[in-house]
Amino acid sequence: YKVLRGGVQVATPTGTSWTDTGLTNGTTYSWTVVATNMAGDSAATAAVTAAPAPPAPGAPTGLTATAGNAQVSLSWTAATYATSYKVLRNGTQVGTPTGTSYTDTGLTNGTTYSWTVVASNATGDSAATGAVSAMPKPPAPAAPTGLVATAGNAQVSLSWTAATYATSY
């Protein structure tokens, strides 16, 4: 047999099957087959087309969460064959980064959240990472300003301007 890819002969197998390797994932190719013997060649088969695809990605690893003010920054190790990722907070997808980090914003300080990450490509999705949890929190408060002391009878009253992120003094 003669195997032709895109009209160019690429193989001469003696059996009735053959695997074309070294192709580019996502590119569509066309093949025909011609039977041959000492008397000559047959007509070619009707063309068939296919686009190789990568295997489903492996699961990302090493997911970490770093809490900040009303946000949590996530990072993980890349998964083989991944072209993007799905970030899930408490089981609901909240992001689709193409890289290995994501910052989840708009969170409520003092509330604990849980995240997992799934790797994706044209073939499908991986298993999810193990879950990580974090509680966003505000930064340390700024120093109060404008401290004033007012003396009274056997007492002194103090007052000051509120400090950003302070919850008590």
Side-chain angles (χ1 to χ4, degrees):
Y1 298 94
K2 294 178 183 176
V3 177
L4 294 91
R5 179 189 339 118
V8 176
Q9 184 176 334
V10 292
T12 55
T14 56
T16 58
S17 66
W18 178 75
T19 301
D20 201 348
T21 61
L23 304 175
T24 302
N25 289 331
T27 300
T28 301
Y29 296 90
S30 174
W31 295 268
T32 56
V33 175
V34 173
T36 186
N37 67 18
M38 292 190 320
D41 294 343
S42 71
T45 62
V48 296
T49 60
T61 58
L63 178 61
T64 62
T66 304
N69 182 28
Q71 67 182 27
V72 170
S73 297
L74 304 168
S75 64
W76 56 90
T77 302
T80 306
Y81 301 114
T83 56
S84 66
Y85 298 89
K86 295 177 183 176
V87 176
L88 294 92
R89 179 192 338 120
N90 298 336
T92 300
Q93 185 175 337
V94 294
T96 54
T98 55
T100 58
S101 64
Y102 179 79
T103 300
D104 196 356
T105 60
L107 304 176
T108 302
N109 288 331
T111 300
T112 299
Y113 298 91
S114 177
W115 291 267
T116 57
V117 175
V118 172
S120 295
N121 68 17
T123 302
D125 293 341
S126 73
T129 61
V132 295
S133 295
M135 178 189 300
K137 59 186 180 228
T145 59
L147 180 61
V148 175
T150 305
N153 181 20
Q155 67 181 23
V156 173
S157 296
L158 302 174
S159 64
W160 55 88
T161 303
T164 306
Y165 302 115
T167 57
S168 64
Y169 299 92

